[in-house]
Amino acid sequence: MKSSDIRKSFIEFFQQKDHKFIRSAPVVPIGDPTLLFTNAGMNQFKPIFLDESKPDHSRAVNSQKCIRVSGKHNDLEEVGIDTFHHTFFEMLGNWSFGDYYKSEAIKWSWELLTEVWGLDKNRLWVTVYKDDKEAYDLWLNNTDIKKGRVLWFGKKENFWEMGETGPCGPCSEIHYYMGDDLFNQSKEGVNRTDEYWELWNLVFIQNERLADGSLINLSQSHVDTGAGLERITSVIQGKASNYETDLFQPIIKELESSSDCKYADNPVPFQVIADHIRMLCFSIADGALPSNEGRGYVLRRILRRASRFGRVLKLEKPFLHKIVPTVCNLMGDAYPELKEKSTHIKLVIGTEETLFNQTLDRGITHLEKLMSSLKSSKTILGSDAFKLYDTYGFPLDLTELIAREKNIDVDVEGFHLEMTKQKDKARQAGNFKLKEKNIDWIELLKEKGSEFVGYEYLETNSRVLKYSEIEEGFILVLDKTPFYPESGGQVGDRGTISIEGIDLNVIDVQNHNDMIIHLCRGVVLDWSKVERVQCVVSDFHRSSVKRNHTATHLLHAALKKELGDQVQQAGSLVHPNYLRFDLTYFEKITGDQIRKIENIVNSQILLNSTLKTSIKAYDEAINSGVVALFGEKYGDNVRVVSTGKFSNELCGGTHVNSTGDIGLFKITEESSLASGVRRIVAVTGTAAIELFQNQADLIFNMQRMLNCKEEELPNRIGQLYQDKKSLEKKIKELNQSDDSDIISWVNKASKVGDYIFVIELLSIEGADELKRVGDRLISEIKSGIGVLFNNVNDKPSAVVVVSEDLVRKKINAGILAKEIGSFMGGGGGGKPQLATAGGRQFGAVEKAIISTEKLILKVLNKEL
Ligand code: SER
């Protein structure tokens, strides 16, 4: 049976049992800050388990793309070394949301494994939680498993938790004996040795773990199961390793042909690369990009680990990007996003590995220098390892690897300390974000959920469902609301909510599961009397946002047209004053291209096409070429926003009626956001008009200042710049011509023995210039001392210079300057060859010159 058939048969089995197929959520999780990557099939159902949202169906089945790279559920360094752990894997799962429970879950899993897939019952083992007698009995009563094969285990093995917090409950796992000798099995091996593989986990979700560590009961019991497709495929296809199945073999074969090495001779590098390339393709397809932070850093580490293992196969040049088409073809039928984004994925991986190769070369040189400079300590300091990481992008594990080869340690703790310091510095004050768990709600009406009616209305009379007082003001949930909650990059609406004539200002609107939460400022004396409120969305705010949102769609389509289809939206902000659009693109967008993009958008505005919104089935919309965005999770039915044929996007936002309402579009900024990501900022409507008006004012003012016509401005400014440069040159020459004075000072200078000493009073602008003259003077004196007093703006100062031969005799310009400074009521200091003094006393110079003369004579006479 092919892996694709196994996936299909799992889904069909549960569909026949009334389960609704749910598409895999993106691997880059939406709306769950506690997760870096989607790490289990149940992630997308977490709000249902926690009673925060209601499911459309009480039974679900899917095959979920999962990534486990760190934390509770994986250890990256092990991946590829063994044959059954992965960074990316597919989790087949079936769910009951408050519907069936342990009995069906157990019966059906056994039926599928043993009857449909025909797994050998003499190899299957089952574990149950120590307190779960119900599950134990069900296994024995509902299935024909032998009694001795159902084993009790404790919390570590059989109480499944999503993470530090979240839904959890006792679980029952099905394990499979992978060994050759059936008679060599024993219950002691289960959960202990790698010969027994966990195939399927049935979790009976009935609790929630809170942040303080306590466990509470959920209002309903649910079923959450997960079976690794890779392991099931191995078992069904009779392979000893996941890498030998048809899920990995095409990738490995491709690597064999590009490397001239054989998988059988040295499997580990092949396994690491085959595993990691899948993780990279899937996460990049869902919008992740390599970077130095968070999720992006995980991608970078994985890519670098794969790249390093490539070197073991003598693949020195970038090679990972060449395997991308194989992965996309292999998995693209089940996950069409791979095929759709394959050019983009290839580009991102290719760029990143090229960059890494350069980094490797530079980093290795620096590291070698560092290691050879180590004396007896034989430990690379945490701060040095961090510098390698921060400056050269050199990962810690690579530093450790290379250091280990030379028996050198790395201070890992010190490295992490530096990393934390840097992160703390970078952490910015977060914006206001509602965390429902921290809100103490007062429920006025027991209904849940709010209806958004803001596509049609800007005003409503609404009933208050919940309210709460928080530090920033009040938060309110209403039965229906015209306020658009922040979503898909569009900021929340602003406006007022009035209660019996008293206005509260709505300063933010957020969506939390089915609740639209309004954050308001104002005064309400007695909430218990409030039942209904009057909502009014600011028309000005909404209209500005609408213009920018529709313009964002036009810009997106124009970018694809001008720069190519590989351009993907990597982020967006639709604000009333401007729009910001991040796109995946690897070069600077030139001025010419910007102009063309602006022209495309503005010509669409001039066409004044009517905006159409329609609700379509997701698959139908995607098949007809509608653009779906990275990392968004879409339901079965989606809202499609179209501007004629030019732009078709899945979008829940608010839009203008016709493109002409946008008025005008102008890009104001194009910059690089990260490697492979560009950022565009643009304005529309009144903001664009204001921009042109301000620019016109600026030009008019410049014309007035420079007394010329607009078209003459560039020449005039160019001329002024030239004039400035030639004047500067002249000043320099004039200063230099003053050097003739220096020669005359030296010629008429006094002498003590062969030593010359010069004391002069000048009037020079700028301390640097005085020092420069001092420098020139000593090169003329050759052997002796020079003191140049300067008196501009009644601030006396001096530079003291001493020739090298006298410096060797311990005559120090710094000490002389200090004393000379004191003659003027100030101080001084500097180097032995050149020092400066400054005084505070007005008119002190004349006296200081006399004292200095005496001082110098004394000093030089001593040297005779
Ligand atoms: N949530 C469970 C797991 O991840 C079962 O799907 O193992």
Side-chain angles (χ1 to χ4, degrees):
M1 206 173 182
K2 287 200 291 200
S3 54
S4 52
D5 293 330
I6 299 172
R7 191 190 292 117
K8 199 158 151 250
S9 65
F10 181 90
I11 292 164
E12 283 172 0
F13 178 83
F14 284 101
Q15 276 176 328
Q16 280 156 15
K17 298 192 186 318
D18 287 335
H19 287 61
K20 160 105 173 81
F21 173 72
I22 308 283
R23 268 190 320 281
S24 171
V27 281
V28 175
I30 312 141
D32 189 345
T34 64
L35 272 181
L36 211 51
F37 293 100
T38 299
N39 66 1
M42 55 75 68
N43 290 172
Q44 63 170 316
F45 306 121
K46 182 178 165 190
I48 301 179
F49 294 144
L50 296 184
D51 242 355
E52 289 169 354
S53 87
K54 289 211 174 347
D56 295 335
H57 304 269
S58 58
R59 298 175 179 191
V61 59
N62 94 348
S63 143
Q64 173 65 47
K65 308 177 278 186
C66 296
I67 289 181
R68 290 186 181 177
V69 278
S70 56
K72 204 167 163 56
H73 291 289
N74 216 357
D75 179 7
L76 177 60
E77 294 310 314
E78 291 306 311
V79 174
I81 312 287
D82 72 25
T83 58
F84 61 104
H85 281 100
H86 301 289
T87 54
F88 170 85
F89 65 99
E90 288 175 78
M91 190 184 275
L92 304 168
N94 59 293
W95 285 272
S96 150
F97 307 122
D99 187 39
Y100 65 82
Y101 203 38
K102 297 179 188 175
S103 170
E104 290 86 341
I106 288 173
K107 192 168 65 186
W108 290 337
S109 62
W110 192 252
E111 183 186 328
L112 179 59
L113 288 176
T114 61
E115 288 171 33
V116 180
W117 288 337
L119 262 56
D120 185 351
K121 289 174 196 165
N122 293 320
R123 286 180 178 272
L124 289 169
W125 295 82
V126 160
T127 64
V128 292
Y129 183 51
K130 64 178 173 42
D131 297 338
D132 198 355
K133 171 101 173 49
E134 187 190 357
Y136 183 83
D137 292 341
L138 283 167
W139 276 109
L140 297 180
N141 298 334
N142 276 6
T143 74
D144 58 359
I145 191 166
K146 293 208 183 84
K147 193 165 178 209
R149 287 185 168 267
V150 184
L151 313 173
W152 300 98
F153 275 92
K155 184 167 173 285
K156 182 169 160 269
E157 295 83 3
N158 279 72
F159 193 89
W160 193 85
E161 306 207 31
M162 181 183 178
E164 299 308 322
T165 59
C168 51
C171 63
S172 185
E173 291 179 346
I174 305 169
H175 294 245
Y176 189 85
Y177 174 66
M178 295 293 290
D180 297 330
D181 182 0
L182 272 185
F183 298 98
N184 212 9
Q185 296 182 69
S186 82
K187 64 178 186 187
E188 278 72 36
V190 178
N191 273 330
R192 303 273 180 277
T193 76
D194 283 355
E195 276 201 307
Y196 298 80
W197 284 8
E198 177 202 328
L199 287 190
W200 201 340
N201 187 9
L202 317 178
V203 186
F204 310 120
I205 301 264
Q206 55 192 41
N207 306 104
E208 180 186 358
R209 175 81 62 197
L210 302 181
D212 64 5
S214 61
L215 212 57
I216 54 166
N217 288 333
L218 294 172
S219 68
Q220 284 184 301
S221 300
H222 314 273
V223 171
D224 152 39
T225 89
L229 173 70
E230 293 74 9
R231 293 185 192 175
I232 301 257
T233 306
S234 257
V235 169
I236 293 180
Q237 294 182 350
K239 308 288 187 197
S241 149
N242 290 353
Y243 295 101
E244 283 168 26
T245 67
D246 62 350
L247 285 164
F248 290 93
Q249 272 303 302
I251 307 174
I252 288 172
K253 293 240 153 65
E254 173 72 36
L255 265 173
E256 281 186 324
S257 68
S258 51
S259 71
D260 281 342
C261 296
K262 286 271 155 272
Y263 172 57
D265 297 339
N266 186 8
V268 169
F270 286 92
Q271 294 178 174
V272 170
I273 298 166
D275 173 276
H276 289 9
I277 191 71
R278 293 192 340 146
M279 183 277 181
L280 291 167
C281 287
F282 275 93
S283 52
I284 295 169
D286 278 345
L289 284 169
S291 74
N292 272 345
E293 267 286 307
R295 190 177 290 135
Y297 183 55
V298 176
L299 259 75
R300 183 158 277 174
R301 274 184 69 196
I302 299 239
L303 184 139
R304 290 175 171 191
R305 189 163 182 259
S307 179
R308 271 166 26 226
F309 275 92
R311 292 192 171 212
V312 181
L313 301 179
K314 307 264 174 318
L315 294 166
E316 306 269 331
K317 295 213 177 81
F319 67 97
L320 287 166
H321 66 287
K322 294 189 188 146
I323 337 170
V324 171
T326 310
V327 180
C328 294
N329 281 335
L330 186 64
M331 309 291 282
D333 287 339
Y335 303 100
E337 62 274 22
L338 283 184
K339 279 192 179 156
E340 198 190 308
K341 308 265 163 67
S342 71
T343 319
H344 165 68
I345 301 170
K346 200 170 162 188
L347 209 63
V348 172
I349 294 183
T351 310
E352 182 69 17
E353 47 176 347
T354 308
L355 220 85
F356 181 53
N357 271 4
Q358 290 162 3
T359 304
L360 264 186
D361 296 339
R362 274 187 298 142
I364 285 172
T365 318
H366 182 80
L367 180 57
E368 265 160 9
K369 257 196 229 151
L370 195 75
M371 289 193 300
S372 59
S373 73
L374 289 179
K375 295 194 181 97
S376 52
S377 70
K378 287 279 173 202
T379 301
I380 295 176
L381 293 179
S383 54
D384 281 332
F386 185 74
K387 189 171 169 214
L388 269 162
Y389 157 79
D390 203 31
T391 317
Y392 298 93
F394 219 57
L396 175 67
D397 49 1
L398 185 57
T399 306
E400 285 182 294
L401 196 84
I402 297 174
R404 211 176 301 140
E405 281 163 12
K406 301 217 159 132
N407 271 331
I408 292 175
D409 286 332
V410 180
D411 173 14
V412 175
E413 218 170 282
F415 172 90
H416 289 299
L417 214 69
E418 294 292 324
M419 178 76 107
T420 317
K421 268 196 234 159
Q422 196 199 45
K423 283 204 178 134
D424 285 349
K425 255 193 255 160
R427 195 162 294 136
Q428 287 164 358
N431 290 336
F432 168 75
K433 279 273 171 278
L434 291 168
K435 284 187 214 86
E436 207 224 340
K437 284 278 137 70
N438 301 336
I439 297 167
D440 206 2
W441 291 109
I442 307 275
E443 301 211 15
L444 294 177
L445 292 157
K446 282 275 171 231
E447 296 156 61
K448 223 178 148 232
S450 4
E451 188 190 355
F452 173 66
V453 296
Y455 292 133
E456 301 92 30
Y457 306 103
L458 289 186
E459 296 188 16
T460 58
N461 183 277
S462 307
R463 279 190 306 159
V464 180
L465 299 184
K466 287 180 170 199
Y467 85 88
S468 179
E469 217 171 317
I470 58 167
E471 219 180 294
E472 295 87 351
F474 297 109
I475 47 177
L476 280 180
V477 179
L478 308 170
D479 64 339
K480 61 172 185 272
T481 177
F483 282 93
Y484 185 82
E486 179 182 320
S487 150
Q490 177 177 330
V491 297
D493 276 333
R494 301 290 183 267
T496 53
I497 292 182
S498 19
I499 300 158
E500 286 165 3
I502 298 170
D503 284 349
L504 300 179
N505 282 330
V506 177
I507 57 168
D508 196 13
V509 190
Q510 297 281 334
N511 194 345
H512 190 82
N513 295 319
D514 288 338
M515 281 188 294
I516 296 177
I517 300 176
H518 308 75
L519 172 67
C520 313
R521 290 237 169 97
V523 183
V524 178
L525 293 179
D526 189 357
W527 275 98
S528 64
K529 298 211 173 85
V530 178
E531 244 193 57
R532 301 198 76 87
V533 294
Q534 192 65 30
C535 300
V536 183
V537 170
S538 154
D539 196 8
F540 180 76
H541 186 275
R542 170 70 79 82
S543 304
S544 313
V545 169
K546 279 192 329 190
R547 280 194 292 269
N548 284 336
H549 203 154
T550 310
T552 301
H553 285 208
L554 296 179
L555 170 65
H556 191 179
L559 286 166
K560 281 193 186 294
K561 204 162 174 189
E562 177 58 29
L563 307 178
D565 258 347
Q566 77 279 11
V567 164
Q568 300 287 342
Q569 174 169 341
S572 122
L573 175 70
V574 179
H575 190 272
N577 301 343
Y578 62 93
L579 65 97
R580 204 177 67 201
F581 191 89
D582 301 334
L583 62 143
T584 56
Y585 194 64
F586 284 84
E587 286 155 52
K588 182 168 174 48
I589 307 174
T590 64
D592 244 16
Q593 288 170 319
I594 295 274
R595 185 172 272 242
K596 281 189 193 146
I597 293 161
E598 286 172 349
N599 288 347
I600 299 173
V601 174
N602 281 313
S603 64
Q604 288 300 317
I605 292 173
L606 288 172
L607 273 180
N608 201 20
S609 320
T610 308
L611 266 276
K612 292 215 175 73
T613 53
S614 55
I615 305 293
K616 284 194 176 153
Y618 175 85
D619 293 334
E620 187 197 332
I622 295 297
N623 292 340
S624 66
V626 174
V627 177
L629 302 185
F630 272 142
E632 288 286 340
K633 187 182 157 212
Y634 297 106
D636 289 343
N637 290 319
V638 288
R639 185 168 181 261
V640 179
V641 177
S642 322
T643 63
K645 282 208 168 48
F646 183 70
S647 146
N648 286 287
E649 267 192 39
L650 299 189
C651 179
T654 57
H655 288 272
V656 295
N657 296 330
S658 329
T659 54
D661 299 348
I662 298 170
L664 186 61
F665 170 86
K666 177 82 187 87
I667 292 175
T668 54
E669 207 182 301
E670 191 279 336
S671 57
S672 157
L673 189 62
S675 159
V677 188
R678 311 292 308 178
R679 167 163 285 183
I680 286 180
V681 181
V683 287
T684 63
T686 46
I689 293 171
E690 209 176 303
L691 174 79
F692 286 121
Q693 286 169 335
N694 290 343
Q695 286 180 347
D697 285 351
L698 188 73
I699 290 173
F700 180 71
N701 287 338
M702 289 200 311
Q703 268 177 263
R704 267 213 322 225
M705 276 169 69
L706 302 175
N707 194 21
C708 66
K709 293 197 190 117
E710 185 179 328
E711 58 274 19
E712 288 167 5
L713 274 173
N715 276 345
R716 182 60 62 94
I717 293 171
Q719 192 55 53
L720 279 174
Y721 185 68
Q722 281 307 327
D723 289 352
K724 176 178 172 278
K725 271 176 73 177
S726 67
L727 282 173
E728 276 171 0
K729 202 167 151 218
K730 269 200 191 122
I731 291 173
K732 212 167 166 195
E733 280 164 11
L734 276 175
N735 277 337
Q736 270 160 8
S737 70
D738 280 354
D739 288 2
S740 58
D741 292 348
I742 295 173
I743 301 177
S744 76
W745 297 336
V746 176
N747 287 341
K748 68 170 180 62
S750 319
K751 281 192 167 184
V752 175
D754 283 340
Y755 298 126
I756 291 175
F757 79 94
V758 172
I759 298 180
E760 291 290 336
L761 174 61
L762 318 174
S763 187
I764 292 181
E765 283 287 354
D768 282 349
E769 182 55 18
L770 183 66
K771 277 197 238 166
R772 190 193 67 79
V773 179
D775 239 359
R776 277 281 297 116
L777 172 64
I778 201 66
S779 66
E780 284 301 323
I781 291 178
K782 291 192 182 70
S783 177
I785 298 175
V787 183
L788 299 175
F789 283 91
N790 193 28
N791 204 8
V792 272
N793 306 330
D794 288 327
K795 272 199 81 188
S797 63
V799 62
V800 184
V801 283
V802 175
S803 61
E804 279 302 332
D805 56 339
L806 287 175
V807 169
R808 278 196 293 277
K809 292 186 167 173
K810 300 277 179 280
I811 295 183
N812 187 325
I815 294 169
L816 294 176
K818 194 170 169 207
E819 204 157 334
I820 293 169
S822 75
F823 300 152
M824 305 184 284
K831 296 207 175 98
Q833 293 84 354
L834 188 148
T836 53
R840 282 196 221 106
Q841 285 166 359
F842 173 71
V845 177
E846 308 300 333
K847 265 165 80 197
I849 290 179
I850 298 168
S851 310
T852 302
E853 220 175 296
K854 284 187 192 148
L855 172 72
I856 304 290
L857 279 173
K858 199 169 93 194
V859 168
L860 289 179
N861 274 317
K862 254 200 194 158
E863 296 305 324
L864 287 178

